[in-house]
């Protein structure tokens, strides 16, 4: 389960640069690592996130922290919006995403560009819906990132966030902790040039304000109609909110 972050939320300045460098390093094998480390469950999680907005059929979609564009591709194929735009800090991840988009024949519908979640280069109310899949932990300023996503959503627009969380039930909590600390870093080290990224993942998940705490952060940045749905025994969580 990749999608690592560097310092925990709210820590040292320069987190954005550290995250960019880390993702640039893992970009060549990022998709393989996702499939191996999650046993393919990450595909199901992304599908659940996208299907959340099936009934709404948004016409213009933003995918924040798009990485190699897995969720952007899934959203385009499932929801068929007029346009999907993905943004990310890592140029190498975006390059890999563009290759996948070209291979899928969707270059006319999906555009990728380098941008920061806290300083989105879009007009107010420009999008009907926004997604963040396994990227919100990497925001240098969580509240600023959520706030700018809210700004670019139209009134009534939806935000869907998919993120790792800490399981709360026994024995899943203990098994997940063991896997994260001992198995994940070893596999990540074998398949990736940046073993430190996968050693840091458990700490970044533990530092993230998941569950009710994350809903409070969404509420504090202006989102309403909030929901939280744990997935796969709480290993991941799906959050939704709307712009008033």
């Amino acid at each position: 389960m990749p999608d690592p972050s560097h310092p925990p939320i709210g820590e040292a300045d320069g987190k954005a640069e550290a995250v960019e460098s880390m993702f640039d390093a893992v970009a060549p094998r990022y998709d393989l690592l996702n499939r191996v480390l999650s046993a393919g469950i990450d595909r199901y999680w992304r599908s659940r996130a996208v299907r959340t907005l099936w009934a709404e059929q948004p016409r213009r979609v933003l995918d924040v922290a798009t990485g190699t564009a897995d969720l952007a591709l899934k959203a385009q194929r499932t929801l068929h919006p007029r346009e999907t735009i993905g943004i990310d800090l890592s140029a190498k991840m975006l390059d890999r995403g563009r290759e996948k988009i070209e291979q899928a024949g969707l270059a006319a519908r999906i555009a990728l560009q380098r941008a920061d979640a806290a300083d989105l280069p879009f007009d107010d109310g420009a999008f009907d819906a926004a997604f963040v899949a396994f990227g919100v932990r990497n925001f240098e300023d969580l509240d600023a990132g959520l706030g700018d996503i809210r700004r670019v959503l139209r009134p009534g627009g939806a935000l869907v966030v998919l993120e790792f969380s800490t399981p709360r039930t026994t024995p899943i909590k203990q098994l997940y902790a063991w896997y994260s600390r001992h198995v994940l870093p070893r596999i990540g080290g074998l398949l990736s040039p940046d073993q430190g990224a996968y050693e840091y993942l458990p700490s970044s998940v533990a530092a993230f304000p998941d569950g009710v705490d994350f809903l409070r952060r969404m509420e504090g940045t202006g989102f309403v109609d909030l929901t939280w749905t744990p997935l796969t025994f709480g290993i991941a969580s799906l959050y939704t909110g709307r712009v008033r």
Side-chain angles (χ1 to χ4, degrees), residues 49-110:
V50 169
R51 291 202 313 270
T52 299
L53 299 184
W54 170 254
E56 302 186 29
Q57 297 292 296
R59 303 307 298 155
R60 196 162 191 244
V61 171
L62 176 65
D63 182 23
V64 178
T66 191
T68 61
D70 269 353
L71 192 135
L73 284 162
K74 186 66 178 177
Q76 188 62 47
R77 288 165 170 157
T78 303
L79 303 176
H80 308 292
R82 183 181 71 253
E83 181 181 30
T84 299
I85 297 180
I87 67 103
D88 203 281
L89 285 173
S90 169
K92 291 186 178 180
M93 296 282 276
L94 292 172
D95 287 344
R96 175 62 185 134
R98 291 187 185 100
E99 291 175 4
K100 291 162 63 176
I101 290 166
E102 288 284 349
Q103 291 167 5
L106 290 171
R109 296 284 185 177
I110 305 175

Side-chain angles (χ1 to χ4, degrees), residues 1-5 19 22-38 42 46 63-71 88 90 92-94 96-97 100 133-135 137-138 162-164 188 191-193 197-198 201:
M1 300 173 193
D3 302 280
S5 67
V19 168
M22 190 179 301
F23 278 105
D24 278 347
V26 302
R29 295 193 174 184
Y30 180 80
D31 292 328
L32 172 63
L33 285 160
N34 267 337
R35 304 295 98 81
V36 171
L37 293 173
S38 72
D42 64 301
R46 287 185 178 87
D63 182 23
V64 178
T66 191
T68 61
D70 269 353
L71 192 135
D88 203 281
S90 169
K92 291 186 178 180
M93 296 282 276
L94 292 172
R96 175 62 185 134
K100 291 162 63 176
F134 305 114
R137 283 181 301 109
N138 301 321
L162 177 63
E163 188 53 89
F164 290 117
L191 299 179
S192 167
Y198 297 91
L201 176 58

Side-chain angles (χ1 to χ4, degrees), residues 87 113-116 119-123 148 151-152:
I87 67 103
Q113 64 186 87
R114 189 172 180 276
D116 190 327
D119 188 21
L120 296 169
F122 309 113
D123 293 337
D148 214 41
R151 178 186 65 78
V152 302

Side-chain angles (χ1 to χ4, degrees), residues 3-242:
D3 302 280
S5 67
H6 204 41
I9 297 294
E11 277 199 10
D13 291 338
K15 178 178 178 180
E17 289 79 4
V19 168
E20 178 186 355
S21 175
M22 190 179 301
F23 278 105
D24 278 347
V26 302
R29 295 193 174 184
Y30 180 80
D31 292 328
L32 172 63
L33 285 160
N34 267 337
R35 304 295 98 81
V36 171
L37 293 173
S38 72
I41 299 174
D42 64 301
R43 288 175 170 170
Y44 162 72
W45 291 335
R46 287 185 178 87
S47 181
R48 277 287 302 269
V50 169
R51 291 202 313 270
T52 299
L53 299 184
W54 170 254
E56 302 186 29
Q57 297 292 296
R59 303 307 298 155
R60 196 162 191 244
V61 171
L62 176 65
D63 182 23
V64 178
T66 191
T68 61
D70 269 353
L71 192 135
L73 284 162
K74 186 66 178 177
Q76 188 62 47
R77 288 165 170 157
T78 303
L79 303 176
H80 308 292
R82 183 181 71 253
E83 181 181 30
T84 299
I85 297 180
I87 67 103
D88 203 281
L89 285 173
S90 169
K92 291 186 178 180
M93 296 282 276
L94 292 172
D95 287 344
R96 175 62 185 134
R98 291 187 185 100
E99 291 175 4
K100 291 162 63 176
I101 290 166
E102 288 284 349
Q103 291 167 5
L106 290 171
R109 296 284 185 177
I110 305 175
L112 304 184
Q113 64 186 87
R114 189 172 180 276
D116 190 327
D119 188 21
L120 296 169
F122 309 113
D123 293 337
D124 295 0
F127 295 91
D128 301 304
F131 293 94
V132 191
F134 305 114
V136 76
R137 283 181 301 109
N138 301 321
F139 289 2
E140 185 165 35
D141 185 324
L142 178 58
D143 295 331
L146 290 173
D148 214 41
I149 293 171
R150 181 190 55 75
R151 178 186 65 78
V152 302
L153 286 171
R154 64 166 175 77
L159 169 63
V160 178
V161 175
L162 177 63
E163 188 53 89
F164 290 117
S165 50
T166 302
R168 289 162 166 78
T169 59
T170 301
I172 302 301
K173 180 178 181 179
Q174 290 79 7
L175 288 171
Y176 181 73
W178 175 82
Y179 173 83
S180 297
R181 290 191 178 94
H182 301 289
V183 178
L184 187 152
R186 291 187 180 185
I187 298 176
L190 289 172
L191 299 179
S192 167
D194 191 344
Q195 182 173 355
Y198 297 91
E199 290 176 342
Y200 202 88
L201 176 58
S203 298
S204 69
V205 174
F208 183 73
D210 66 346
V212 173
D213 289 337
F214 184 66
L215 292 182
R216 291 193 183 107
R217 301 294 281 269
M218 292 181 69
E219 182 179 35
T221 52
F223 288 96
V224 298
D225 299 334
L226 304 171
T227 70
W228 164 37
T229 306
L231 304 176
T232 315
F233 308 106
I235 293 172
S237 286
L238 188 60
Y239 307 92
T240 67
R242 291 190 178 278

